[in-house]
Amino acid sequence: MQIVFVKLFSVNQIRAWDKYTIESGSITSAQLMERAAMACSKWISSHYPADTSFMIISGKGNNGGDGLAISRMLKEKFSDVSTYVIEDGPPTSDFDVNFDRLIKVSEIYAILEKEDLPAIANCVVIDAIFGTGLSKKPAKLYKDLIRHINANAHDIISIDMPSGLYADKATDHALAINATTTLSFQTFKLAFLIPDNATFCGKVVILDIGLSEKYAQENQSEYEMVDLRMIQDIYRKRNDFSNKGDFGYACLVAGSYGMMGAAVLSSLACLRSGVGKISSLIPSCGYEILQSVVPEAMCTTSGTQIVKNIKDFQKYDVIGIGPGIGRHV
């Protein structure tokens, strides 16, 4: 049985993943960007009515290139699509490719200073300013722009990541786009799973852009998360003649005086997860509590107020230790 995890790659690993996909798949980086933009534009087109107005605001990096490509594609289905580019620093080559494509079919407005910030009213703003490329707090014109968008836009779609957030760590400032939706690619970024970032990310949608499966399989990541595919892999349907012994025997070492609630909740959770049998090893002070609330659990006691003399665990298939034991064991 193969267990499937979602790997949370770092920004550097994702760049290497892009590069590997390009080199092994015989495509160009511009073609991969086109793929990403197509996935975003399809999602947007399927979630907004035809009379929606869009304003794309792009930086001059690859995230900005995504934004320009999305703008070009949206113009095929929506009549009101405007595009703004922050004129700061040199562009990437893929940004230039998409700038040249878009300028043939649409005007592109430059943001040179604070006075150039566009009026935002009754439109969906698409944020393609930084993506994963930010490593410091936004300053100067970027600071003004992010504040302007947050203050005036009611619906914001961020491409890859809300501009202003760090991808690989907690963000040490509050100056980031407050996205309604974040359209990201292939896998979650660590930033999406940090509680402090929830107000910035909104609803996170992961879009498949065909990055190499081989790279993902062969490279390790510092963090992994469980997803529906993993649950489906380990789920075993029970037939009418199943026996509880067919579904594993778990032992849970839990609880202490004043913290038996943790033992109760974790025992219930263990049973809910699908284990066939559970034996909860607890101090004797919690015996009546656990047996009354979780009668399905077998109960073994050791110690009076804390668990002591933990014995052989050989008969169990899996062991959990910790809920409510404090620092005593």
Side-chain angles (χ1 to χ4, degrees):
M1 180 175 61
Q2 182 182 7
I3 306 300
V4 181
F5 293 91
V6 173
K7 295 179 179 179
L8 304 177
F9 288 124
S10 68
V11 170
N12 288 336
Q13 286 179 306
I14 290 172
R15 288 171 183 158
W17 196 0
D18 287 348
K19 183 179 179 182
Y20 184 92
T21 301
I22 291 166
E23 293 175 350
S24 63
S26 299
I27 65 170
T28 66
S29 57
Q31 288 170 331
L32 183 59
M33 184 175 287
E34 193 79 356
R35 238 189 243 178
M38 180 64 71
C40 290
S41 62
K42 282 184 177 179
W43 187 93
I44 293 168
S45 297
S46 67
H47 285 79
Y48 288 89
D51 60 350
T52 305
S53 298
F54 292 96
M55 178 183 292
I56 294 88
I57 302 179
S58 298
K60 296 178 76 173
N62 282 350
N63 191 241
D66 288 334
L68 298 184
I70 291 167
S71 178
R72 170 169 43 85
M73 294 174 189
L74 291 182
K75 288 188 74 66
E76 297 175 1
K77 297 186 177 182
F78 298 91
S79 60
D80 187 5
V81 179
S82 58
T83 310
Y84 291 80
V85 171
I86 308 158
E87 289 294 341
D88 181 53
T92 63
S93 58
D94 287 339
F95 174 91
D96 273 341
V97 167
N98 282 289
F99 185 93
D100 292 341
R101 290 173 178 172
L102 181 60
I103 199 69
K104 293 176 181 177
V105 296
S106 173
E107 187 170 359
I108 301 174
Y109 304 97
I111 301 176
L112 298 168
E113 53 190 358
K114 188 175 181 179
E115 287 68 27
D116 298 325
L117 296 180
I120 299 173
N122 301 318
C123 67
V124 177
V125 172
I126 296 179
D127 155 39
I129 303 170
F130 289 128
T132 60
L134 189 72
S135 60
K136 60 183 179 180
K137 182 178 179 179
K140 299 180 179 178
L141 184 57
Y142 294 106
K143 175 182 68 176
D144 295 330
L145 178 58
I146 289 172
R147 288 176 174 170
H148 177 68
I149 293 172
N150 286 342
N152 294 283
H154 299 292
D155 195 349
I156 306 171
I157 300 173
S158 285
I159 304 303
D160 209 7
M161 278 188 61
S163 293
L165 290 189
Y166 306 144
D168 295 337
K169 60 182 181 179
T171 304
D172 57 3
H173 61 80
L175 189 59
I177 291 292
N178 294 325
T180 311
T181 304
T182 299
L183 302 182
S184 199
F185 307 121
Q186 213 66 44
T187 188
F188 278 79
K189 277 69 175 178
L190 180 60
F192 301 155
L193 304 177
I194 295 173
D196 292 348
N197 289 346
T199 56
F200 299 110
C201 298
K203 176 184 177 182
V204 177
V205 178
I206 304 299
L207 302 173
D208 186 348
I209 60 170
L211 295 185
S212 167
E213 291 185 9
K214 184 178 180 181
Y215 178 94
Q217 293 167 355
E218 294 181 351
N219 287 270
Q220 298 302 311
S221 58
E222 186 174 357
Y223 302 100
E224 295 177 340
M225 63 178 284
V226 177
D227 77 338
L228 181 60
R229 290 174 299 170
M230 177 187 174
I231 302 302
Q232 290 171 335
D233 263 6
I234 65 177
Y235 173 74
R236 294 170 62 190
K237 186 177 180 179
R238 301 188 181 193
N239 61 47
D240 294 340
F241 300 99
S242 295
N243 180 279
K244 64 182 180 181
D246 298 332
F247 295 94
Y249 190 4
C251 177
L252 187 63
V253 182
S256 59
Y257 181 78
M259 291 192 286
M260 287 307 301
V264 168
L265 292 172
S266 54
S267 297
L268 288 168
C270 185
L271 287 165
R272 183 67 180 270
S273 73
V275 69
K277 298 189 294 183
I278 178 176
S279 182
S280 297
L281 177 56
I282 62 171
S284 61
C285 67
Y287 181 79
E288 290 81 3
I289 297 171
L290 190 73
Q291 288 286 265
S292 298
V293 183
V294 196
E296 304 94 332
M298 290 172 281
C299 190
T300 305
T301 62
S302 176
T304 304
Q305 295 192 343
I306 61 173
V307 178
K308 291 185 176 180
N309 303 320
I310 298 176
K311 298 181 180 180
D312 184 30
F313 289 117
Q314 293 301 315
K315 62 182 176 180
Y316 304 113
D317 297 306
V318 64
I319 303 157
I321 302 175
I325 66 173
R327 302 182 181 180
H328 307 297
V329 178

